[in-house]
Amino acid sequence: MKKQMVEFAGQSVGIVVPENGRLKFVAVKFHVHGLDGGLYETMDELRRAIRAHVEDFYRNGSKQALAG
């Protein structure tokens, strides 16, 4: 796998790059910055993490969500 753009709700939110057999997420949008640098086994796992993080971001505020 080469680097790949990641979209959420029709918006580019970051890229993934392969790293030691896993996927490293590089965030490019503020509301997913708390996931920056995270490693995931699959794109589905990353998408679930993004969905949960964005929901938390908008439900509880950016300071708590950015803490991870």
Side-chain angles (χ1 to χ4, degrees), residues 31-53:
H31 60 282
V32 295
H33 194 264
L35 299 174
D36 188 56
L39 295 172
Y40 301 89
E41 296 293 328
T42 66
M43 286 296 291
D44 285 338
E45 180 185 6
L46 171 57
R47 286 186 184 102
R48 285 190 300 271
I50 290 171
R51 177 176 301 280
H53 189 79

Side-chain angles (χ1 to χ4, degrees), residues 10-43:
Q11 184 178 59
S12 297
V13 295
I15 62 169
V16 290
V17 293
E19 184 171 293
N20 298 323
R22 298 179 78 193
L23 303 171
K24 182 176 183 176
F25 181 65
V26 179
V28 297
K29 294 292 184 182
F30 179 73
H31 60 282
V32 295
H33 194 264
L35 299 174
D36 188 56
L39 295 172
Y40 301 89
E41 296 293 328
T42 66
M43 286 296 291

